Amino acid sequence: MRLQVMKPFVKDLGFRDMCIVLKEQRGWRQAREFFEWMKLQIPYSPSVIAYTTLLGIYGQAGKLTLAEETLSEMLDAGVEPDEVAGGCMLEAYARWERYDTLLEFYEAMRQRGLVPSAHVYRTMIVTLYKAERHSDALMLWEDLLVEKLEPNFVLYAIIIHILNKEGRTEDAVHTFKDMRAAGHLPDELLYNTIICALGKLGRYQESEALYLDMKKQGIVPSKFTYTIMINVWSKAGRFASAAETLAEMQRSGCIADEVVYCSIINMYGKAGLYEEAEKIFKEMDTLGLLSHEKSYTSMAKVRAEAGRHAEALKLFDVMAEKGLLTTRMTWNTLLHCFVRIGDVEQATKVYNDMVEAGSANVVTYGNMINLYSKFQMVEDAENLLAEMRESGVKPDEYIYGSFVKLYCNSDMIDKATMVVQEMKDDGLVPDQIIKTNLMQAYGRVGRYDEAEELFWSLQDPGAVAVSSVLSIQESVCNEREMFPLGQALQSPIDTQILNQLLIKRAEAGELREAELLLDKLVEAGGCIVDTAAVLMINLYGRRGLFQKAKSLFNSLQKKDHPPSLYVYNTMIKLCAVCKELEEAIFVFDRMEENGRMFDAVTVSILVHAYTKEGRFKDAAGLMKRAKKVGVAMDTVAYNTSLKANLKSGNLKGALEVYGEMQEADIEPSAKTYTILISLFSKLGDLGRAVQAFEVLNSSEVGADEIAYSQMIHCYGCAGRPKEAADLFQEMETKGFKPNEVIYNNLLDAFARAGLFAEARLLLSDMRRKGCPPSSVTYLLLMSAYGSKGKPADAESLLHLMQDRGLYPDCRHYNEVIRAYGNVGKLSDACRIFYELKTVGIGLELGCFRTLVKIHLDHGQFEQGWQIYKDLSQSFTVDQNLYGIAVELCIGAGRRTEADQLKVELKGKGFSYRDKPPFPRPVPSIWKRSDHLAPVTDTGSLSN
């Protein structure tokens, strides 16, 4: 054995020496052999140092199984792993890409109170970032900050890129600021990322400041940086700054080409900054960049929009001199600009120039005829058509259609009919638009038979055509006739037309007519299309005819082709609205049986329905199921899931859903941010709540009353009444009228902070502004008075309510009883309790429970027991009240009565239990080995 060489040194080597030798072993096999030899020596004793050294060697070699076995052996030996040992394991898992095990082990360390070093955190985060597990990396980042460890530049850069990629732009900006405050200098890539992010958030001044700071730091902007800044200026409407940045770009050596300049010209033209566009165009000319006709065409459009038609035409002269006037497209583009603004004179001039140049084509004539049609210039249009035919250009469908529209609008129906016939003679087929225009004209002049004939010639009548039929029908029909357009409509009708007519009737809410059409569709043996089925189901739902909707849906199931997902979702939603949840679940199950895969809409509908019924586990199960089968969730579905978790109190689940939403790169809506504000408020995370509100408030949608209400409540819970009041004032400034909920949230914020004078003033303000305080408002204030040790003030509100015409109920009296109990005034608490009889409410179980509980809390066991014994016969005592009574008896030394109460409890199916000690949970990672039995006291592992 190789370790035989160690025999002469056994007596001379101490434990520390052996650890040094172990650390110097080059291979994991040698380290394992030496450690086994080391354990046989007299100086050896199990130590975290030796085990940690061996864990590090195994980890570097990728022997994770040996490392885990060593960890189990370490625990069996009674050696508790420390931060260094745990860090070795974490680095090993990270090095060898065991991500799930890494996170499991990390969670176990945290539960044991062990905090990895900053180096280990960096290793883990970098590894997870490379694996694109962004949410896990961000979770570790947040823990690192909580532990107040110092991130380095690389870590900051990674986190900023992750946040930006995940759409958490505000957090990325905040992290960048923290990075600067920590003394780290960003590189060009980070500057570009944050400048672009600030531009997206609409914080253009900050983008500019950062851009200037970047240059101060000696970082030379690249072409990418300049491009970002030009886009930021464009969004901000600071087009002069964009031009200045372009000039700076040129001075720095990043030369813009003709395409960039054309884009800037178009940008200025859309913004109405015609002079600035002219300057850019002149600069292009100076730089010799006017080499393409597109540049001139862009400038011509700008001049035309500015009304400078003569100057626009001059560009054509310049282009002709330079030989750039080579295509009809340039001429037609300019002509189209004049037609669009309705300038007949200038359009005619351009048209004449094109004719003289021989550049006029069918597009040119089409533009001009469209212009004449717009102003009903019939004679000019007819002359132009004659010229067109003389020049040998044949009219196309667009020109014929323009003439039909012109004649129809001028009530020249016969001429419109002749144009359609000429079109047919030329081998062209009138499209639906042309026929519909002519059919409408026939209807206006009472030529119903011709309108009917034209309608039946449509192979696929569109919505406009069907609408025209219905319009004509309404003008000539009597109540007994469903189809008034002659005998043809009484004959068998094409099912497609029936579906379209059904859709129109259902959209108009005409149930009787829609049902007649539906019956005729069934008689014809046709299938109802999805749109018609959905409209009919919704129509039945609005009329409260759920059984009819159900019957219609069931009839669709009998067909060869099952309903589409759209129809299934509509029926499920109707079931949920009608509180027929079991029926909704039945339809959902039937959908899967028929091979229809549910989508995000289905999930959102059912999760919302489950939540309303308090079936939170079913809602969570459906979300997991959707994720498992790969359903692409949308914003609405995630919002529904967030709200369901929030309502059920599963805050961790809500955070996980939000994390999944960010991982899926789903854009949050205004409702998402409102829910997040409420979530962070419940978590006590004011900073993230403020961030969510600011992002929402700076968006195009902006914060609504609900968001303001949630944020005011959040400030109140955090003890920040000033910020709550400022936000309330900001909301009023924006024109929002506060409702009772918002007033209550602000009042609660004042009351929590002990600002009762402000709270009382707010009561007066509510009455003055037409939103008088309700019983809930007074209840909030009573609760606050009680928590601040002001029971008399809480009691005064009972009288104030009565003066205002409100009648306190048992909830209000309960708060006053609790308020007196909090300060030990038990006699006053009893007085308020017995007042329940005099005010006509009667003694109430909740108030009774509060009364005896405060006696228990203040050690008045005998008095509390007497109250219970005197009054308990008046109530149906529940388990909680029995428990309080037992504790009162025990406190008063009445063991016999306590035992008797326990027997009564047992007889009612209850049991009295002493409060058990709270067991410390054992992380699953510590129980990896099969021979480690589960324990309930983690302290035993350190013995």
Side-chain angles (χ1 to χ4, degrees), residues 1 3 11-12 33 38 85 131 209 223 344 357 371 428 432 452 518 532 543 560 571 684 711 715 723 788 865 893 920:
M1 183 180 178
L3 292 175
K11 295 181 180 179
D12 297 329
E33 287 182 8
M38 180 177 170
K223 187 174 183 178
V344 178
L371 178 65
L428 301 175
Q432 185 172 138
E452 177 186 319
L518 183 60
R543 299 293 176 85
D560 296 334
M571 191 63 204
M711 198 62 228
Y715 277 130
E723 287 83 349
K788 297 297 183 181
W865 166 246
R920 291 170 58 196

Side-chain angles (χ1 to χ4, degrees), residues 737-919:
K737 185 178 180 180
N739 56 28
E740 183 189 333
V741 175
I742 299 174
Y743 272 116
N744 286 349
N745 285 336
L746 181 58
L747 184 139
D748 187 51
F750 286 146
R752 283 172 181 264
L755 302 175
F756 294 110
E758 287 80 354
R760 290 281 190 146
L761 286 174
L762 191 61
L763 290 178
S764 303
D765 190 54
M766 290 176 70
R767 286 192 297 273
R768 189 174 64 256
K769 292 186 178 180
C771 184
S774 67
S775 60
V776 176
T777 310
Y778 286 104
L779 187 64
L780 286 171
L781 194 51
M782 285 178 184
S783 178
Y785 274 133
S787 65
K788 297 297 183 181
K790 294 178 176 290
D793 292 316
E795 183 181 353
S796 69
L797 290 177
L798 293 174
H799 308 299
L800 181 60
M801 285 182 68
Q802 294 169 348
D803 294 340
R804 300 297 181 189
L806 296 173
Y807 297 98
D809 57 25
C810 54
R811 297 174 302 163
H812 300 87
Y813 280 93
N814 198 27
E815 286 296 338
V816 178
I817 292 169
R818 184 179 289 110
Y820 277 117
N822 288 342
V823 296
K825 294 185 177 182
L826 304 186
S827 60
D828 287 312
C830 292
R831 174 176 58 80
I832 296 297
F833 175 74
Y834 288 111
E835 274 187 19
L836 286 167
K837 279 186 176 181
T838 61
V839 297
I841 297 176
L843 302 183
E844 191 264 342
L845 179 62
C847 295
F848 181 48
R849 188 188 300 112
T850 301
L851 185 64
V852 293
K853 182 67 168 61
I854 61 177
H855 280 82
L856 175 65
D857 293 341
H858 286 278
Q860 298 297 318
F861 305 116
E862 187 63 37
Q863 186 180 354
W865 166 246
Q866 290 300 326
I867 293 173
Y868 174 82
K869 189 168 66 170
D870 293 341
L871 297 174
S872 59
Q873 299 300 323
S874 304
F875 303 99
T876 301
V877 182
D878 58 15
Q879 185 176 7
N880 290 335
L881 195 51
Y882 265 118
I884 295 171
V886 171
E887 292 180 27
L888 285 170
C889 288
I890 294 173
R894 295 176 176 270
R895 289 287 176 181
T896 304
E897 287 88 341
D899 293 337
Q900 184 179 353
L901 285 172
K902 290 178 182 179
V903 173
E904 289 181 22
L905 266 170
K906 188 174 182 181
K908 292 180 180 291
F910 302 138
S911 60
Y912 177 79
R913 300 177 186 174
D914 292 327
K915 295 179 181 178
F918 184 75

Side-chain angles (χ1 to χ4, degrees), residues 70-103:
T70 301
L71 181 64
S72 297
E73 178 185 326
M74 181 179 180
L75 292 168
D76 288 342
V79 178
E80 182 72 9
D82 60 4
E83 291 87 351
V84 181
C88 288
M89 291 299 296
L90 292 175
E91 288 189 295
Y93 289 135
R95 179 191 294 268
W96 301 104
E97 300 179 354
R98 296 275 293 276
Y99 307 119
D100 292 332
T101 310
L102 166 71
L103 295 171

Side-chain angles (χ1 to χ4, degrees), residues 518 528 530 533-534 536-537 540 545-559 561-575 583-584 586-592 594 596:
L518 183 60
I528 181 172
D530 291 342
V534 167
M536 284 302 296
I537 290 172
Y540 281 134
L545 302 172
F546 176 74
Q547 290 303 323
K548 282 196 172 185
K550 184 178 175 181
S551 298
L552 173 60
F553 179 76
N554 289 335
S555 69
L556 299 175
Q557 297 278 355
K558 297 175 184 177
K559 302 295 180 182
H561 301 288
S564 68
L565 179 60
Y566 181 33
V567 178
Y568 270 113
N569 285 342
T570 302
M571 191 63 204
I572 291 172
K573 185 175 182 179
L574 179 61
C575 291
E583 184 66 28
F586 175 76
V587 173
F588 176 73
D589 294 336
R590 199 168 180 181
M591 175 176 68
E592 292 191 297
N594 290 333
R596 294 291 186 195

Side-chain angles (χ1 to χ4, degrees), residues 367-432:
N367 277 324
M368 288 302 297
I369 291 172
N370 184 37
L371 178 65
Y372 292 146
S373 176
K374 184 184 296 185
F375 294 100
Q376 296 188 12
M377 300 168 64
V378 178
E379 186 178 350
D380 294 283
E382 290 176 340
N383 292 336
L384 187 62
L385 181 61
E387 290 179 16
M388 178 180 174
R389 284 175 171 160
E390 287 178 7
S391 64
V393 179
K394 289 186 177 182
D396 61 3
E397 295 93 334
Y398 178 79
I399 291 177
Y400 276 122
S402 298
F403 266 101
V404 171
K405 185 177 180 180
L406 172 61
Y407 286 140
C408 288
N409 290 338
S410 304
D411 291 333
M412 302 171 71
I413 312 303
D414 291 335
K415 284 193 173 184
T417 305
M418 290 174 58
V419 169
V420 172
Q421 187 58 47
E422 290 176 11
M423 185 177 183
K424 292 177 181 178
D425 294 341
D426 286 344
L428 301 175
V429 179
D431 60 16
Q432 185 172 138

Side-chain angles (χ1 to χ4, degrees), residues 125-232:
I125 292 173
V126 170
T127 301
L128 292 170
Y129 168 66
K130 291 178 179 178
E132 296 186 352
R133 298 187 61 154
H134 295 161
S135 60
D136 294 329
L138 291 175
M139 181 267 292
L140 294 179
W141 166 258
E142 291 174 1
D143 288 350
L144 179 144
L145 296 180
V146 169
E147 297 301 333
K148 298 183 179 180
L149 299 175
E150 283 293 330
N152 62 2
F153 171 82
V154 174
L155 201 52
Y156 271 118
I158 287 174
I159 293 300
I160 289 170
H161 287 303
I162 290 176
L163 291 170
N164 191 56
K165 191 173 182 180
E166 292 294 311
R168 295 173 58 179
T169 313
E170 188 68 47
D171 290 339
V173 174
H174 182 73
T175 304
F176 179 85
K177 291 179 180 178
D178 290 344
M179 175 186 178
R180 296 289 305 278
H184 297 288
L185 181 63
D187 57 11
E188 184 203 338
L189 180 59
L190 278 179
Y191 270 115
N192 289 342
T193 301
I194 301 303
I195 290 171
C196 185
L198 289 168
K200 290 179 180 178
L201 292 173
R203 291 154 63 173
Y204 307 118
Q205 291 183 347
E206 292 182 54
S207 292
E208 180 183 13
L210 203 58
Y211 172 66
L212 296 175
D213 181 72
M214 173 184 175
K215 293 194 290 185
K216 279 184 182 178
Q217 300 297 334
I219 299 175
V220 179
S222 65
K223 187 174 183 178
F224 182 68
T225 311
Y226 287 119
T227 304
I228 290 174
M229 283 308 303
I230 290 173
N231 289 332
V232 169

